[in-house]
């Protein structure tokens, strides 16, 4: 996630994706205006297809049917079982493979078509009984398929064994089988090491083996790998046998798996240690590189707590004979739910017990809960096709939050989830949004769906649906869904069916508008007093940013209203106006928590502004978010929002302040001139000084659990805004480090402040610390500090270093994409990227190129920057990259529109306040 001027997520103004991929090639067009028009037409034609297909889906989606499931591959040949053998070469640059696939030919075919990408097929044979037929192979690189044809005659229906010998590349990117370089400390020296890992979702299994790489084609797997004797090998199932091989080698073979889709297959090879445990007879292991198993103890306890909870909640015991989790020391930035062998970057799984922070523990718990939830939602039952990705990701996200609420209620996880829902709502209000359940015509389009709408909107809707149906009915519906589709596939229609059956309600009628339509509602609340009674009117319409042509839509919205006297009343708002009467005229408000915006009119508005500081924390945060969204949409004046900001002097709630800082990071983009930005920064310091003085630099006895994270947030924000006291203290802490280690809870923030204001000596020390670091978390912190450097000569040195080979390509590209926002020099970084675009694209993965310029442009607020982004995208990349570019361009145009309306009020506010 990108960090802005104040070190906060800019998720509301940037394109988001779980993984950065999209293919690219060079093209040229003449003229910025022509490019913009051409690209806009192409992108909005695509969006129109999505919307039209969404309307068709709302009418036509049926319960799961294998034959009716979309996909590239024909369904006349079906895999039943794979026996896969992989042999990496000594240099770990290539591998040899052999796969034997038991298939059923359902009807007579002339050829067999399956997926293969970046593979060289040496031999393919089809065997039926004692008859062996050699097949000729032809590869389609664009479609990532292989066609296998016999020399004579068609292939008759029946059971066969398809054997393929082939070779492929081990890549530096987390796609297929990839190499993970890392460093260890050995006898006072930093030593370079490497391991191998796989990551296949959504379409990368075809880079390790030819097969049916679509989620509907479930099959069993037997994996084996030949490696050097000292190495450890991990896969989905337990080790079945180890066979010695000549030359100090061994072959490790694994037991046969249950039927599963190809994207869940996993293989890890390296010098690994394991922390082992068990829960109710289920063996558990967390694999780390040598010497780090002590850091896995928190994750192991979390795993046991979570697994016990899920076994009970789902009414279905975890299915596989073991559950392994593997911590990668780099090369991959998140986590992946491989069945029985879950993949993590070590920074989101390992916690140093000597330097643990609560925020680290919360992050690890949440991600482990998300990935283990997938062992049921996604693995035990798999979405039929990528248009139902949200069944996997939305549910796992919701389940992780729900589990944290149950097992650690003091963490207030629902408030944290509300912040991520804001990210989704910011995307969902724009022209480039898409429905939660989005048709996918081509599996390459699945990459675009790993975003906040699929994850966070999916979670927010499921939370609302559970409250609407009731916890018991919802849980029973989920259990029925899992039992009915166990070891098979499902669609959203299947989930609605089982929830309806369990609850006795028409769930599809309630749910379809939320998952099959784009966007969300604005609820308008107006009130007038009639004697001592309050007459309240409630109505809805679609809420959008900068999109006057948006299609009018409505939703069934469960709403709870609260009067000033505490009376609560719940209604289901439809597409007509709802009028209510209360015996209280002291103001009415809507309880926070729904996936909608709220605007108060009439008598309801002044009281809420006046009583803002007396609202509960969740409602204060929501009031800030709704008011600022209305400002962005042109439905409120910025001064309405600034009044609320001025009331934050006594604020102590982290979530409320995070919401304010998110808005401030957007507003700072509207200040163009250096003098305007300096005045803005002075105002930010004045605004945040009082909250920071309360939390201070060090932990206080009995302090709020969120204060350590709030402390780091405020240190970063104040230091990047130029607060001299914070800068001085940060420099002092850095000078004393590591003899007196910086508190891990604030270390990243301190390093960012030090980096931003670094001179040459500090830069050199940060670079030396990066080169010596062996923990991924600290490597990321030092990279963030170096990325924050503002000094022109030093930042150019850092950017030039990123073009070389010192950092792994994924880390280098991430730093280059975020160079401008982190250093507060977006124009300079943009020019650097343009001047070196060929080298940058050569370093990025084919899929990752689509994200380089969009994420580098997020700090701009002029329409010309949006035009240039589209021009460069069209010039250098193919149509697969257009959607990400248009999303970023639309965000830039939104900022430009807000600037045109509100800049004068913003500058007047910053100058007036900073002069005090």
């Amino acid at each position: 996630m990108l960090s802005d001027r104040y070190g906060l997520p800019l998720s509301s103004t940037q394109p988001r994706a779980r993984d950065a991929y999209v293919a690219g090639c060079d093209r040229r067009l003449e003229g910025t205006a022509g490019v913009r028009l051409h690209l806009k037409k192409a992108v909005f034609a695509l969006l129109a297809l999505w919307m039209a297909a969404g309307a068709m889906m709302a009418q036509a989606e049926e319960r799961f049917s294998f034959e009716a499931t979309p996909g590239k591959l024909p369904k006349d040949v079906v895999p039943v079982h794979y026996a896969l053998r992989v042999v990496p070469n000594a240099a770990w640059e290539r591998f040899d493979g052999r796969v034997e696939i038991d298939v059923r030919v359902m009807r007579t075919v002339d050829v067999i078509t399956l997926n293969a990408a970046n593979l060289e097929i040496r031999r393919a044979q089809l065997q039926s009984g004692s008859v062996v037929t050699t097949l000729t192979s032809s590869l389609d690189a664009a479609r990532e398929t292989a066609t296998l044809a016999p020399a004579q005659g068609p292939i008759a229906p029946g059971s066969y064994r398809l054997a393929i010998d082939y070779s492929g590349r081990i890549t530096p990117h987390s796609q297929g089988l990839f190499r993970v370089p890392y460093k260890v400390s050995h006898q006072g020296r930093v030593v370079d090491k490497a391991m191998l890992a796989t990551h296949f979702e959504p379409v990368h299994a075809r880079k390790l083996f030819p097969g049916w790489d679509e989620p509907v084609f479930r099959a069993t797997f037997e994996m084996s790998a030949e490696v050097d004797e000292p190495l450890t090998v991990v896969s989905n199932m337990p080790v079945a046998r180890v066979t010695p091989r000549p030359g100090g080698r061994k072959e490790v073979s694994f037991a046969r798996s249950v039927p599963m889709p190809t994207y869940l297959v996993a293989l890890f090879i390296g010098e690994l240690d394991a922390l082992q445990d068990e829960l109710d007879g289920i063996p558990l292991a967390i694999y780390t590189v040598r010497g780090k198993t002590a850091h896995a103890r928190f994750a192991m306890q979390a795993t046991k707590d979570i697994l016990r909870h899920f076994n009970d909640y789902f009414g279905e015991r975890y299915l596989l004979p073991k559950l392994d989790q593997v911590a990668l020391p780099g090369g991959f930035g998140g986590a992946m739910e491989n069945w029985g062998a879950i993949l993590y970057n070590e920074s989101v799984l390992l916690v140093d017990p000597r330097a643990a922070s609560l925020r680290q523990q919360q992050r690890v718990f949440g991600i482990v809960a998300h990935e283990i939830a997938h062992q049921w939602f996604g693995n035990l039952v798999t979405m039929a096709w990528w248009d139902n990705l949200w069944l996997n990701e939305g549910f796992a996200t919701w389940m992780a939050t729900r589990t944290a609420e149950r097992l650690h209620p003091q963490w207030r996880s629902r408030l944290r989830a509300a912040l991520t829902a804001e990210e989704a709502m910011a995307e969902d209000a724009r022209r480039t949004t898409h429905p939660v359940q989005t048709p996918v015509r081509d599996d390459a389009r699945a990459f675009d769906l790993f975003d906040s709408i699929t994850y966070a909107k999916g979670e927010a809707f499921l939370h609302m649906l559970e409250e609407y149906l009731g916890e018991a009915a919802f849980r029973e519906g989920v259990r029925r869904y899992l039992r009915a589709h166990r070891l098979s596939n499902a669609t959203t229609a299947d989930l609605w069916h089982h929830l309806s059956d369990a609850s006795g309600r028409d769930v599809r009628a309630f749910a379809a508008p939320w998952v099959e339509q784009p966007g969300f509602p604005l609820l308008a609340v107006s009130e007038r007093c009639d004697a001592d009674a309050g007459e309240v009117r409630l109505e809805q319409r679609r809420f959008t940013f900068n999109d006057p042509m948006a299609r009018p839509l409505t939703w069934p919205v469960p709403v709870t209203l609260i009067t000033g006297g505490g009376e609560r009343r719940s209604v289901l708002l439809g597409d007509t106006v709802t009028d209510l009467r209360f015996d209280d005229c002291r103001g009415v408000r809507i309880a926070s928590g729904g996936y909608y915006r709220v605007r108060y009119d009439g008598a309801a508005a002044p009281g809420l502004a006046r009583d803002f500081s007396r609202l509960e924390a969740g409602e204060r945060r929501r009031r800030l978010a709704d008011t600022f969204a209305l400002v962005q949409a042109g439905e409120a004046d910025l001064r309405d929002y600034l009044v609320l900001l001025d009331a934050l002097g006594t604020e102590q709630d982290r979530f409320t302040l995070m919401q304010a800082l998110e808005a401030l990071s957007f507003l700072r983009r509207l200040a163009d001139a250096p003098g305007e930005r300096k005045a803005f920064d002075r105002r930010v310091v004045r605004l945040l000084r009082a909250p920071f003085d309360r939390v201070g630099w060090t932990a206080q006895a009995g302090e709020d659990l969120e204060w350590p994270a709030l402390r780091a947030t405020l240190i970063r924000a104040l230091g990047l805004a130029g607060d001299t006291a914070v800068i001085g203290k940060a420099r002092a802490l850095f000078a004393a480090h590591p003899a007196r280690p910086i508190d891990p809870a604030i270390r990243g923030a301190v390093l960012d402040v030090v980096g931003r204001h670094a001179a040459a000596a500090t830069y050199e020390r940060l670079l030396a610390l990066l080169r010596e670091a062996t923990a991924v978390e600290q490597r990321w912190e030092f990279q963030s500090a170096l990325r924050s450097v503002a000094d022109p000569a030093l930042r150019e040195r850092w950017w030039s270093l990123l073009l070389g080979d010192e950092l792994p390509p994924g880390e280098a590209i991430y730093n280059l994409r975020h160079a401008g926002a982190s250093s507060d020099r977006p124009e300079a970084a943009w020019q650097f990227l343009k001047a070196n675009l060929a080298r940058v694209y050569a370093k990025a993965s084919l899929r990752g190129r689509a994200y380089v310029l969009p994420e580098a442009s997020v700090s701009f607020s002029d329409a010309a920057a949006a035009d240039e982004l589209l021009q460069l995208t069209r010039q250098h990349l193919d149509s697969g990259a257009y959607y990400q570019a248009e999303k970023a361009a639309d965000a830039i145009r939104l900022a430009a529109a807000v600037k045109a309306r509100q800049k004068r009020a913003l500058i007047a506010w910053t100058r007036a306040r900073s002069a005090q």
Side-chain angles (χ1 to χ4, degrees), residues 500-764:
S500 296
D501 194 41
S503 66
R505 299 193 187 190
D506 185 353
V507 172
R508 183 187 179 105
F510 175 82
W514 288 101
V515 301
E516 295 173 4
Q517 296 180 161
F520 59 91
L522 169 69
L523 308 187
V525 184
S526 59
E527 181 181 14
R528 72 180 187 88
C529 293
D530 180 11
D532 291 331
E535 295 183 352
V536 175
R537 171 159 289 189
L538 192 61
E539 53 191 317
Q540 66 160 298
R541 61 175 171 80
R542 184 178 178 183
F543 179 79
T544 63
F545 289 149
N546 206 28
D547 188 13
M549 303 302 293
R551 181 160 55 105
L553 298 169
T554 58
W555 295 260
V557 188
V559 178
T560 298
L561 296 102
I562 308 172
T563 69
E567 180 185 353
R568 302 173 72 93
R569 192 179 304 179
S570 297
V571 299
L572 183 64
L573 179 64
D575 56 5
T576 59
V577 172
T578 297
D579 292 315
L580 303 167
R581 187 175 178 87
F582 293 87
D583 296 331
D584 186 340
C585 199
R586 286 178 286 173
V588 67
R589 67 186 189 276
I590 290 179
S592 63
Y595 191 81
Y596 45 70
R597 294 292 180 203
V598 181
R599 188 188 70 222
Y600 294 93
D601 301 318
L608 280 174
R610 183 179 59 251
D611 298 335
F612 174 74
S613 61
R614 291 197 288 271
L615 296 174
E616 292 183 358
E619 294 190 63
R620 292 198 304 276
R621 187 210 60 78
R622 185 58 186 263
R623 182 67 171 147
L624 281 172
D626 286 344
T627 303
F628 189 68
L630 290 167
V631 171
Q632 290 177 299
E635 298 192 33
D637 190 272
L638 179 59
R639 285 167 289 197
D640 297 335
Y641 182 76
L642 298 177
V643 167
L644 300 181
L645 277 188
D646 286 339
L648 293 179
T650 59
E651 187 59 63
Q652 301 180 40
D653 178 69
R654 182 172 82 88
F655 302 105
T656 303
L657 285 168
M658 287 285 287
Q659 191 68 57
L661 286 167
E662 186 82 27
L664 285 168
S665 70
F666 179 93
L667 290 173
R668 192 178 186 278
R669 298 164 62 191
L670 313 187
D672 296 311
E676 294 171 347
R677 290 194 293 271
K678 288 180 180 178
F680 187 94
D681 290 344
R682 287 194 296 269
R683 180 65 189 111
V684 168
V685 170
R686 288 177 56 82
L687 182 68
L688 301 182
R689 241 304 147 188
F692 180 63
D693 286 343
R694 276 189 297 279
V695 302
W697 281 91
T698 56
Q700 304 168 26
E703 70 178 14
D704 187 285
L705 288 176
E706 292 296 332
W707 274 24
L710 175 60
R711 183 173 292 117
T713 296
L714 293 174
I715 288 170
R716 181 179 285 108
L718 286 165
L720 299 186
D723 185 301
T724 55
V726 168
I727 295 168
K729 178 68 172 180
R731 284 172 167 166
L733 290 172
F734 180 64
H737 180 83
R740 293 199 298 274
I742 303 170
D743 178 359
I746 64 171
R747 185 176 57 215
V750 168
L751 291 173
D752 282 352
V753 173
V754 168
R756 170 59 57 81
H757 305 284
T762 300
Y763 173 88
E764 293 294 348

Side-chain angles (χ1 to χ4, degrees), residues 12-13 36 40 44 47 426-427 429-433 545-547 666 669 857 860 866-867 869-870 883-897:
S12 61
T13 57
R36 177 181 174 184
K40 284 183 67 177
F44 286 108
L47 292 174
E427 286 201 33
R430 298 205 292 263
R431 286 179 289 180
T432 50
T433 188
F545 289 149
N546 206 28
D547 188 13
F666 179 93
R669 298 164 62 191
S857 69
F860 295 133
D867 294 343
L869 167 62
L870 298 180
Y883 181 57
Q884 296 303 326
E886 185 58 38
K887 285 174 69 176
D890 192 62
I892 295 169
R893 294 189 197 107
L894 171 64

Side-chain angles (χ1 to χ4, degrees), residues 186-198:
H186 179 69
Q187 296 180 348
R189 297 183 301 110
V190 175
V191 179
D192 289 323
K193 295 280 188 177
M195 66 174 290
L196 298 181
T198 58

Side-chain angles (χ1 to χ4, degrees), residues 377-392:
F377 257 80
N379 299 7
L380 185 67
V381 179
T382 306
M383 82 252 145
W385 181 242
W386 299 108
D387 50 7
N388 280 296
L389 175 66
W390 87 279
L391 283 177
N392 287 17

